Amino acid sequence: MMMRYVKCVLLFFWTIQVNVFSQSTASEMYETGFDYHYGLNGKSKDDAKAVEWFGKAADQGLVEAQAQLGYMLLYGYGVNKDYAEALKWYRKAADQENASAQNQLGLMYLNGYGVNKDYAEALKWYRKAADQGLPSGLNGLGFMYQNGYGVTQDYAEALKWYRQAAEKGNAAAKNNIGTMYFNGYGVTQDYAEALDWYLQAAELGDVNGLYSAGFMYDNGYGVTKNMAEARKWYEKAAAQGDGDARERLKEIQPDAAAPMQMRVVAEPKNEVDNNAFEVVEQPPTFPGNVFSWLSRNIHYPALAEEGNIQGRVIVAFIVEADGSVSDVQVAKGVDPLLDKEAVRVVKSMPKWTPGLHNGQPVRVMKTLPVSFKIQ
């Protein structure tokens, strides 16, 4: 009886030792993959080898490796993109409460990567990541509330989550807060405040923040127009591959004075002038989220989609004193197919709340980016 007890105890300790050894080995495998992915500790950067080592660690159940393997598969680092396989590994990690994997599942359901788009499911995973305090999860949850994806649109709630993410240093959230102030979503429209947030995002290297900072200086929103400063931020955005920044840099000359290729006349001397204002005391506002409305109403031209034609069309138009839209033109085009659709969708917009100058509704010039991106 005593001998059987001793055998059981020895077997128990041997099992513990095997498990500890297995986890230690898995951790070492993960660290090796990490070194290959980033080129650390004497290893040359090699994503194919990184995937191999992450896979070995993931097979042994290491949650960090499972999440990292999902990341490599999702973005095609060292392996062909495989949304279904990425989803599988993210689920394994998310089920073990890995916040990063939960956030990425939110992203996949939001965009329909390997699954049908499902805003409710995306919201669920973003909330799980946010509940753990993950900055990108907090930002993702704010994005869902801002756009009304899977939940009633609520700008105040969106700002709450964006601010929590921004407090943790999330650059994308800082850029998103800038956009809220730029458009007056849930706050009083404030270009100076928008610029401050865009610059915070830009200083952290966020490509959208970099472009937005350039745009503000380019157009004199919230700051005196400064083309040298605009070029500085556009160049930083272009260095990260932002196509719009590259295109704008081609248009800017050292002595450039106009913020856009097409520019209407300067602000008229009084509000009864037939021309349109560029700057007014209270800018016109769209009834809701203009970018969500655009995304729902754009019809991607089939030929453009087949030809993988993408880009951002800048459309200029007038918001009339009664809120209707007129004089819709392409200020910066991408392709005739996309340009035509951008003009069509802007012409079909519902009435805006008109801009006010000296307390009176007036005609105001607006520009709007209409993005076409093949998912």
Side-chain angles (χ1 to χ4, degrees):
M1 184 72 175
M2 177 62 70
M3 181 62 68
R4 181 177 299 173
Y5 173 76
V6 170
K7 284 182 179 180
C8 288
V9 170
L10 288 174
L11 179 61
F12 174 72
F13 279 109
W14 180 80
T15 303
I16 292 176
Q17 289 174 338
V18 169
N19 287 337
V20 170
F21 174 75
S22 174
Q23 288 300 310
S24 175
T25 303
S27 297
E28 291 171 359
M29 290 175 175
Y30 172 74
E31 292 299 329
T32 300
F34 193 86
D35 288 344
Y36 274 118
H37 182 47
Y38 290 101
L40 301 175
N41 296 320
K43 292 181 174 61
S44 298
K45 181 175 171 58
D46 188 330
D47 281 336
K49 287 185 178 179
V51 168
E52 179 185 348
W53 286 103
F54 287 143
K56 290 178 179 180
D59 284 337
Q60 291 198 28
L62 188 69
V63 63
E64 295 87 350
Q66 292 171 345
Q68 187 65 35
L69 184 57
Y71 173 81
M72 304 294 277
L73 289 158
L74 175 61
Y75 294 104
Y77 290 126
V79 65
N80 292 331
K81 285 184 180 182
D82 190 329
Y83 291 152
E85 195 69 9
L87 193 74
K88 180 187 84 173
W89 288 108
Y90 276 142
R91 281 193 182 282
K92 287 179 180 290
D95 288 342
Q96 298 176 70
E97 301 303 320
N98 182 274
S100 177
Q102 291 171 340
N103 179 72
Q104 291 297 91
L105 283 177
L107 176 74
M108 295 188 78
Y109 277 103
L110 174 65
N111 293 286
Y113 295 153
V115 290
N116 292 326
K117 282 187 179 182
D118 189 330
Y119 292 150
E121 193 71 8
L123 182 74
K124 179 187 82 174
W125 289 109
Y126 277 134
R127 194 178 296 281
K128 285 179 177 290
D131 286 344
Q132 295 199 56
L134 186 73
S136 52
L138 294 164
N139 179 63
L141 190 55
F143 182 82
M144 301 298 283
Y145 275 103
Q146 179 188 339
N147 293 281
Y149 291 153
V151 68
T152 301
Q153 188 178 56
D154 189 330
Y155 290 146
E157 192 72 6
L159 270 170
K160 181 187 83 172
W161 294 108
Y162 282 152
R163 289 189 187 280
Q164 288 187 38
E167 287 171 2
K168 292 175 176 285
N170 186 271
K174 291 175 182 287
N175 179 78
N176 289 337
I177 294 173
T179 299
M180 300 288 278
Y181 275 102
F182 184 85
N183 291 292
Y185 294 154
V187 292
T188 301
Q189 189 175 48
D190 188 330
Y191 291 149
E193 187 74 8
L195 176 62
D196 180 65
W197 284 104
Y198 285 145
L199 288 172
Q200 289 186 49
E203 293 290 354
L204 292 172
D206 181 77
V207 66
N208 292 314
L210 292 165
Y211 177 85
S212 296
F215 180 83
M216 299 295 276
Y217 279 104
D218 193 351
N219 292 275
Y221 288 136
V223 68
T224 301
K225 191 183 304 182
N226 186 326
M227 299 311 294
E229 195 71 9
R231 281 194 297 274
K232 180 184 83 173
W233 294 111
Y234 281 146
E235 285 168 357
K236 290 178 181 289
Q240 291 196 34
D242 190 282
D244 293 319
R246 284 197 298 264
E247 290 302 312
R248 182 61 184 135
L249 284 169
K250 293 177 184 178
E251 300 161 5
I252 297 175
Q253 301 300 321
D255 59 348
M260 300 297 294
Q261 283 180 304
M262 189 198 80
R263 178 184 173 93
V264 299
V265 295
E267 183 180 356
K269 295 179 180 179
N270 60 68
E271 63 273 14
V272 299
D273 193 297
N274 288 328
N275 294 316
F277 286 76
E278 290 185 76
V279 181
V280 291
E281 294 168 352
Q282 183 174 322
T285 56
F286 186 81
N289 186 315
V290 66
F291 297 108
S292 295
W293 186 90
L294 286 171
S295 68
R296 292 193 302 269
N297 289 277
I298 285 174
H299 304 313
Y300 213 117
L303 289 177
E305 192 167 9
E306 290 172 8
N308 196 35
I309 301 171
Q310 306 180 70
R312 184 186 293 167
V313 180
I314 304 297
V315 178
F317 57 97
I318 303 295
V319 177
E320 297 288 349
D322 66 354
S324 61
V325 171
S326 69
D327 297 337
V328 182
Q329 301 180 44
V330 173
K332 187 181 75 172
V334 173
D335 177 90
L337 291 169
L338 300 188
D339 297 352
K340 182 178 179 180
E341 173 57 19
V343 169
R344 183 202 68 78
V345 73
V346 170
K347 283 183 176 180
S348 71
M349 286 193 299
K351 283 189 174 184
W352 293 52
T353 300
L356 300 179
H357 196 68
N358 294 333
Q360 298 296 317
V362 293
R363 305 176 76 232
V364 181
M365 176 199 173
K366 291 285 292 182
T367 58
L368 186 67
V370 181
S371 296
F372 293 86
K373 186 175 181 181
I374 298 173
Q375 300 291 344

